[in-house]
Amino acid sequence: MTKRSGGENRSGRNSGRRRDQSRKGAHAKKRRRSTAKLSREKSVVSHSAAGRRSVRGFGISERVEELAHALDLAPAMVRKLSGEILLWGAALENLYGWSAKEAVGRNSHELLATQFPAPLAEIEAEVARSGWRGELVHRHRDGHHLVVATHWVLHRNAAGEPVSVLEVNQDITESKRTLAMIGQREALLRSVLETAPDAIITIDPRGIVQSFSIAAERLFGYSAGEVIGCNISMLMPSPYREQHDGYLEHYLATSEKRIIGIGREVQARRKDGTIFPIELAVGEVKLDSTHMFTGFIRDLSARARMEEDLRQAQKMEAIGQLTGGIAHDFNNLLTVISGNLEMLEARIDNPTHRELVEEAQGAAELGGQLANRLLAFGRRQPLNPEPTDLNALVLGMIDLLRRSLGEQVRIETRLGEDLPVTIVDPGQVENALLNLTINARDAMPKGGRVIIETASTDVDVDYVEAKPGFYATLAVTDTGVGMTPEVRRRAFDPFFTTKDPGAGTGLGLSMVYGFAKQSGGHVQLYSEVGRGTTVRIYLPARTEEGAQAAPVSATEESRSGAGETILVVEDNPRVRRVSVRRLKELGYAVIEASNGADALAVLDASKPIDLLFTDVVMTGGMTGIDLAHEARRRQPGLRILFTSGYAEPAMIQDRLPATNTAWLGKPHSSMELHTKLRDLLDS
């Protein structure tokens, strides 16, 4: 047992010695192979002046040497992780101006004054993971900078340890400069498209919209996203809508120009369906093998309205001159007739004959009244202007008006405070007030309300055809049937009436118009079918009343807003632009909407709104009052300022929200608007 055990121990020791010797032999053999391999490699490879470069401290085989030859022709370098350059390609000498002799051994980041797009540590971490591509700014040997597109790849040894970085750089300075110039030109073009007052639309040969400027959005009511990609014919009424594509096809086939290169007045169609006049000029450009067309569109609606107003004013002026002249001559004839009748009457004793003369004399008196009305319209009646207090005049006529209008008509007065004195013929003001209230009564066959209102206002040219200045106004509003657009256009024409034969001469409004014009003022008429009528007379205020005119010269401090945000809702683009401009000049932030739905979208977007400034009568199915109630449901404390030229607040008082609301009639001055806003916002 003991011997066997000892033999086994010796055998184990011998076996262990053999294994140790075997391991030592393997290690020695491995060291000999490594030594032989290292002896075959070279630590420095020198290239000829014809393009070969030196590589220091980096052993390479014959295969690697061939690769170095290839890299020598590329804009590439091999560098240590520390940045020390090991290999410098010939193309880099052309790129940076540094020769291989000058570059090898130096730190590449310092040599080229590299500007990195991110911290170097972050870039190196990405290189270690998967390589890195990006852009760098380098400095040329002569000092100028250049932009390169670079690609960094990490080289690892057999043990997986990072050894060097291969960096390939491509000069993109000119392409970057070109792209920057293109970007600047695109930005300039966008700026032109965004600020041009005329709408600009671009289409392709199929009529598909490619661009739609901001002015086009305002003009047509569509957003760019709703139009781009659609056929331009969507902006046209019939029959142009159906014929447009045929026009394009005919032009592309025959090159026969009908509208390209020239301006032309045509009809266009807004999103809400309204048709309006435009001036259209079309330009063409050829891009490669295709055509692009650019339309420059100017809204002629305002010009059409101005032309219509001018025609109306010219018509009224011509009729006034004619009727004034006729009335003057007619009065001369009536003087002869009436005088002779009077003398004849004194010589007649027969009662029957006397009755005939009296009948003729009564007709002459009526003729005289008619002539005086014609003179009033023609602005040739004799006036006796004097300082007049409109409030006192109205109060002095209330009893007479109540008797004239009857029990079915309720009269309400809304007399302005601190009303300025106006220089006017008080008798003509009384006649005008009587005519207007009688017209109001006749427009309410089942009875209703008549509101007589006085106020002072600073008139500008945005709304009325009167000289800018300070005016006292007298307005009469009824709750009657209202007028159609055709009736409104002819309301001031002499002898035009909608009353039954014998019920009116058609000279009441004509006389009011002529009297106001002759007095240096103006008349405005607002009416809508089913919503009543307002006639407002503007009479110049007495300028020497400095105390009463003080609101016009209010200090700039009192005119400044506190930066509150006002949501302006107005369907008339022209009026909306005026309101927005005024509010901004007063120091308010403004968000605008063209209808109730857009306004509610603003409120739903959780934008902070301090006050809602909305028109009452709007297109789109939602009135300003409907909008107010919906807005209050979303934002209970919201302050609301209503405005309208078609109705007075008394007409809709029962439908208005009860608190934090106010009313401002059209037209109004900036000071009147600011005062109403401060009253609401400061309460």
Side-chain angles (χ1 to χ4, degrees), residues 150-457:
T150 188
H151 185 194
W152 295 7
V153 179
L154 182 66
H155 170 64
R156 298 177 184 272
N157 60 19
E161 298 170 342
V163 177
S164 62
V165 174
L166 172 63
E167 179 178 330
V168 181
N169 295 332
Q170 187 71 39
D171 186 7
I172 60 171
T173 306
E174 286 303 319
S175 61
K176 291 288 288 186
R177 185 178 293 112
T178 301
L179 289 175
M181 291 176 59
I182 293 173
Q184 291 173 357
R185 291 178 180 176
E186 288 180 349
L188 178 60
L189 179 59
R190 283 195 300 271
S191 175
V192 171
L193 291 175
E194 291 173 359
T195 58
D198 294 340
I200 302 175
I201 304 174
T202 303
I203 64 172
D204 67 11
R206 298 173 300 151
I208 304 302
V209 177
Q210 304 298 309
S211 68
F212 199 70
S213 72
I214 291 178
E217 292 182 332
R218 290 193 298 264
L219 180 60
F220 288 95
Y222 289 98
S223 67
E226 294 177 290
V227 179
I228 293 176
C230 300
N231 195 288
I232 189 67
S233 61
M234 68 184 290
L235 305 178
M236 304 175 183
S238 296
Y240 309 108
R241 177 193 295 260
E242 293 77 16
Q243 298 172 353
H244 178 264
D245 289 349
Y247 293 153
L248 272 180
E249 293 172 0
H250 177 78
Y251 169 71
L252 293 173
T254 65
S255 297
E256 179 183 343
K257 296 181 179 180
R258 295 185 178 181
I259 193 171
I260 295 174
I262 60 174
R264 182 177 178 182
E265 292 187 15
V266 296
Q267 297 288 313
R269 183 177 183 274
R270 291 191 175 92
K271 183 178 181 179
D272 61 10
T274 57
I275 310 300
F276 65 104
I278 62 171
E279 182 180 39
L280 173 64
V282 179
E284 177 190 15
V285 62
K286 293 182 179 180
L287 301 175
D288 296 330
S289 59
T290 188
H291 296 252
M292 297 296 289
F293 303 93
T294 301
F296 300 87
I297 302 166
R298 177 170 298 173
D299 184 7
L300 298 182
S301 301
R303 193 180 80 178
R305 287 194 298 270
M306 291 175 61
E307 290 174 348
E308 177 62 27
D309 291 343
L310 178 60
R311 283 193 294 269
Q312 178 72 6
Q314 290 172 337
K315 181 188 75 172
M316 298 294 283
E317 183 68 25
I319 295 175
Q321 291 178 356
L322 176 63
T323 55
I326 291 174
H328 178 269
D329 293 340
F330 189 42
N331 266 337
N332 288 336
L333 294 173
L334 287 174
T335 300
V336 176
I337 294 170
S338 179
N340 281 284
L341 286 173
E342 184 178 2
M343 289 184 290
L344 182 61
E345 185 179 11
R347 290 170 171 78
I348 294 177
D349 295 328
N350 187 314
T352 302
H353 294 169
R354 183 181 291 275
E355 184 179 344
L356 293 175
V357 171
E358 290 175 352
E359 183 98 13
Q361 192 73 288
E365 290 177 0
L366 291 176
Q369 294 176 13
L370 175 61
N372 286 335
R373 291 181 178 181
L374 290 174
L375 283 172
F377 174 73
R379 306 176 217 173
R380 297 187 181 186
Q381 65 176 332
L383 296 178
N384 298 304
E386 59 185 65
T388 302
D389 183 344
L390 288 183
N391 284 349
L393 185 146
V394 170
L395 292 174
M397 289 191 66
I398 291 299
D399 290 340
L400 172 63
L401 296 177
R402 286 200 173 101
R403 290 194 298 271
S404 301
L405 302 186
E407 296 181 354
Q408 285 187 305
V409 177
R410 186 168 80 252
I411 299 177
E412 298 179 10
T413 58
R414 298 177 178 274
L415 306 182
E417 298 180 358
D418 300 324
L419 196 67
V421 171
T422 180
I423 306 299
V424 70
D425 187 331
Q428 294 300 326
V429 177
E430 291 175 346
N431 287 337
L433 181 57
L434 182 60
N435 271 288
L436 294 178
T437 53
I438 289 175
N439 283 347
R441 178 202 64 188
D442 294 342
M444 302 182 294
K446 297 182 180 180
R449 286 182 292 174
V450 171
I451 298 93
I452 302 173
E453 181 184 13
T454 62
S456 58
T457 183

Side-chain angles (χ1 to χ4, degrees), residues 125-162:
E126 188 172 343
V127 172
R129 288 193 298 269
S130 58
W132 178 72
R133 294 178 184 271
E135 294 181 4
L136 300 173
V137 177
H138 282 155
R139 185 179 62 196
H140 192 273
R141 182 174 184 175
D142 63 11
H144 78 268
H145 288 82
L146 46 87
V147 183
V148 298
T150 188
H151 185 194
W152 295 7
V153 179
L154 182 66
H155 170 64
R156 298 177 184 272
N157 60 19
E161 298 170 342

Side-chain angles (χ1 to χ4, degrees), residues 19 62 98 135 152 194 213 218 220 393 396-397 419 463 525 546 565 586 596 613 622 636 644 656 663:
R19 285 195 298 270
E62 187 175 304
W98 299 97
E135 294 181 4
W152 295 7
E194 291 173 359
S213 72
R218 290 193 298 264
F220 288 95
L393 185 146
M397 289 191 66
L419 196 67
Y463 298 104
L525 184 148
T565 299
L586 288 170
F613 180 39
M622 178 179 287
S644 179
L656 297 178
W663 176 275

Side-chain angles (χ1 to χ4, degrees), residues 69-77 89-92 168:
H69 278 286
L71 289 176
D72 197 26
L73 303 176
M77 73 175 80
L92 292 183
V168 181

